[in-house]
Amino acid sequence: MLNIRNYINGHYCDPILGEWIENVNPATGEVYSLVARSAAPDVDLAVQAAADAFPAWSAMSAQNRSDILMAISRGIALHAEDLALAESADQGKPLSLAKKMDIPRAIDNMAFFATEILHTNTEAFQTSSQVMNYVVRKPLGVVGCISPWNLPLYLFTWKIAPALAAGNTVVAKPSELTPMTAFLFGQICADAGLPPGVLNIIQGLGAECGEAIVAHPQVTAISFTGGTTTGKHIASVAAPMLKKMSLELGGKNPTIVFDDVDVTQVAQHVARAAFTNQGEICLCGSRIFIQRNIYEKFREALIIETQRFVVGDPLLDETRLGALVNEAHMNKVLGYIDLAKEEGGKILIGGTRMHVEGRCAGGFFVAPTLIEGLDVLCRVNQEEIFGPVATLIPFDTDDEVIAMANSTAYGLAASVWTTNINRAHRTAHQLESGIVWVNTWLNRDLRTPFGGVKHSGVGREGGSEALRFFTEPKNICLQF
Ligand code: NDP
């Protein structure tokens, strides 16, 4: 059986305590590898390696760092096929999606920040004819990057790329549920010429090695993506140590469909926004608000689109919905479907576990599910389910839908569907959300700020925001 080991100081090593965790392929339910169960002593080694590597890496010119990051990007492209297979086996997502979305985005993340650092500048302020201020931005030192299981390599590189580009050294931890692509990534970095210690990858449980990274006194900043409860806990550990933090957390995103749209066409996009990656994307639109005079027509169109989400073996081309990440998560999602029934909801389609024949007979599949008839303030409409489950809610007026859309503790993403330009802008401005898409979904420009408001997070990633997070500005004031 394959052992997924730590990558510290430029080479792979076993966890010091010699403990391992079973890694299950969620589409088959079978254990296919063992993951290092790392603990504080492994993190100590990784932090020491990162601290030793920091002076040389941070002193390197932006062009040299850029060259290495570009080589990593090309390395991901070279191994795209293997990485996509690994991502699908670990996470349960359709192989076709990993090939089309996850791996290309990891390639782009590395290339984007490799080139971004060649085009940044700093500020200067002329205070008077005899006084000049200018700003230099310094890397922070050793930083911690902790990423979740839903888009493993995509989100892992989304943090690591800007951290390294800005001159920091990194101790990173993927989710223990999806460790494989981060494991392969270590070798890609070594092959690309990344100096030993600049990136260290620790495998294991969040509460053990994740917590040890957050609590380590030499780790100066934490970039975390994951659930809101975990984010609050991480903040409670890091804040008293006065660490810089970027927290990208959960969502309960509204999709708003006004009555002036082409129903058939928009239903396709709305279904995609609800069910892509089994609904396991923080940006998925899980509360679908539909203007009342097209409610029935839109509901029918959405049911037809939902039927097109073929659930099955992630390796097959026709599969559009793979397995949920593990059995516990599947049971959590099914629990919310039961709760919806208790709360008075009517299941329009789906609502059950699905059994797939053949090699996937033991897999954790849930049918794409649409529910109507729930109060906007009930738990199913307020809590993040993170599965292929969406609710339909009718509305009459613009003000009413904005109030309902804003009624959760979250504020990550929203999508608005209308052909009325005034309505589009007005609604977008009033939604409490880090990003609002109008007549599109998951349309990402890596230069834009990315993050959430309210309980969806603190801070922004993307473009210059990420480079700002991973550096500390210093003002130098000169009197001539
Ligand atoms: P978790 O919060 O459970 O875990 C995220 C990461 O944190 C994992 O690597 C986890 O390790 C680690 N972790 C857990 N506990 C600790 C701890 N005490 N100290 C340090 N690290 C810890 O999230 P999930 O992996 O379940 O991911 C799903 C969540 O992520 C959803 O809520 C989703 O909305 C959110 N998300 C947000 C995004 C955004 O950009 N805003 C994007 C994608 C997802 P381990 O898995 O080993 O426990």
Side-chain angles (χ1 to χ4, degrees):
M1 182 145 331
L2 173 74
N3 281 18
I4 297 182
R5 307 165 81 201
N6 292 328
Y7 178 76
I8 299 176
N9 209 15
H11 56 260
Y12 287 102
C13 49
D14 288 348
I16 291 171
L17 298 179
E19 292 185 24
W20 301 85
I21 314 159
E22 292 186 338
N23 187 27
V24 174
N25 177 335
T28 63
E30 284 164 12
V31 176
Y32 83 99
S33 57
L34 296 174
V35 190
R37 183 172 176 174
S38 310
D42 303 290
V43 172
D44 288 344
L45 272 186
V47 173
Q48 193 53 55
D52 291 346
F54 179 71
W57 179 250
S58 57
M60 202 181 258
S61 71
Q63 182 65 62
N64 286 351
R65 281 201 302 271
S66 173
D67 290 345
I68 294 173
L69 297 185
M70 282 306 292
I72 296 174
S73 175
R74 287 193 296 274
I76 301 172
L78 196 65
H79 296 281
E81 194 75 22
D82 290 345
L83 289 165
L85 268 168
E87 208 71 298
S88 173
D90 256 1
Q91 208 268 336
K93 69 179 72 216
L95 176 62
S96 57
L97 186 68
K99 281 185 184 173
K100 201 171 65 187
M101 180 179 76
D102 294 74
I103 308 307
R105 176 58 188 274
I107 295 167
D108 290 349
N109 285 342
M110 298 309 302
F112 176 83
F113 286 105
T115 49
E116 173 84 357
I117 47 166
L118 302 179
H119 303 280
T120 51
N121 50 18
T122 54
E123 296 148 310
F125 306 86
Q126 187 158 1
T127 309
S128 68
S129 61
Q130 295 182 328
V131 177
M132 180 78 186
N133 287 275
Y134 69 93
V135 179
V136 288
R137 299 200 75 95
K138 300 272 190 192
L140 305 174
V142 180
V143 300
C145 296
I146 300 177
S147 54
W149 49 257
N150 61 331
L151 302 170
L153 192 64
Y154 174 136
L155 291 175
F156 196 65
T157 51
W158 181 233
K159 298 184 174 307
I160 287 167
L164 296 178
N168 302 281
T169 53
V170 174
V171 177
K173 192 198 96 63
S175 169
E176 102 281 359
L177 300 176
T178 53
M180 190 63 194
T181 47
F183 171 66
L184 298 172
F185 186 67
Q187 189 61 51
I188 291 172
C189 290
D191 293 346
L194 190 72
V198 171
L199 170 66
N200 305 276
I201 302 167
I202 295 287
Q203 304 280 358
L205 298 170
E208 297 175 359
C209 64
E211 181 109 7
I213 295 171
V214 176
H216 199 291
Q218 273 176 281
V219 173
T220 55
I222 298 293
S223 173
F224 168 80
T225 298
T228 296
T229 307
T230 317
K232 285 181 187 173
H233 175 73
I234 284 175
S236 76
V237 176
M241 299 176 82
L242 303 178
K243 296 189 181 195
K244 219 173 169 186
M245 269 180 290
S246 163
L247 303 174
E248 299 297 332
L249 310 176
K252 188 73 182 174
N253 310 307
T255 298
I256 301 177
V257 183
F258 285 104
D259 62 4
D260 53 34
V261 300
D262 177 327
V263 166
T264 314
Q265 203 182 50
V266 170
Q268 275 175 32
H269 295 290
V270 170
R272 183 176 153 260
F275 300 126
T276 298
N277 206 47
Q278 303 77 241
E280 296 166 322
I281 300 183
C282 53
L283 305 166
C284 278
S286 56
R287 294 179 298 148
I288 304 168
F289 296 96
I290 306 158
Q291 201 151 23
R292 200 176 301 275
N293 48 346
I294 60 159
Y295 183 82
E296 268 135 42
K297 199 170 160 206
F298 193 85
R299 179 180 61 192
E300 293 321 304
L302 195 56
I303 290 172
I304 290 168
E305 286 306 323
T306 303
Q307 284 162 344
R308 298 204 167 118
F309 275 77
V310 177
V311 180
D313 184 338
L315 299 182
L316 299 178
D317 279 348
E318 66 264 27
T319 297
R320 285 187 72 192
L321 219 71
L324 297 195
V325 73
N326 68 1
E327 190 170 14
H329 188 57
M330 176 188 71
N331 288 334
K332 177 186 153 191
V333 171
L334 292 171
Y336 271 107
I337 295 171
D338 288 341
L339 177 65
K341 291 179 203 155
E342 284 166 31
E343 290 185 322
K346 177 179 167 203
I347 311 291
L348 296 170
I349 181 170
T352 55
R353 179 175 182 176
M354 284 199 58
H355 293 280
V356 173
E357 299 291 310
R359 119 190 150 93
C360 293
F364 313 124
F365 298 87
V366 172
T369 300
L370 294 174
I371 306 170
E372 70 172 359
L374 288 167
D375 188 278
V376 77
L377 296 179
C378 75
R379 279 184 57 201
V380 169
N381 271 329
Q382 292 289 314
E383 296 175 15
E384 186 183 42
I385 300 173
F386 218 54
V389 179
T391 60
L392 276 57
I393 306 156
F395 71 91
D396 292 299
T397 67
D398 296 29
D399 287 348
E400 181 193 12
V401 75
I402 288 162
M404 289 198 291
N406 288 341
S407 70
T408 75
Y410 295 105
L412 187 57
S415 73
V416 178
W417 301 85
T418 178
T419 50
N420 178 327
I421 190 80
N422 287 334
R423 189 176 237 175
H425 285 292
R426 200 171 51 235
T427 312
H429 279 258
Q430 291 184 57
L431 288 171
E432 294 166 353
S433 183
I435 180 165
V436 180
W437 282 294
V438 179
N439 297 328
T440 183
W441 177 75
L442 206 62
N443 194 335
R444 295 278 295 117
D445 180 328
L446 303 190
R447 293 170 299 179
T448 57
F450 179 84
V453 299
K454 304 199 288 189
H455 286 203
S456 288
V458 179
R460 290 292 179 272
E461 296 185 314
S464 57
E465 297 279 349
L467 294 181
R468 291 176 93 84
F469 173 75
F470 283 115
T471 53
E472 201 69 82
K474 178 191 283 185
N475 185 59
I476 296 174
C477 179
L478 293 181
Q479 168 90 48
F480 305 148

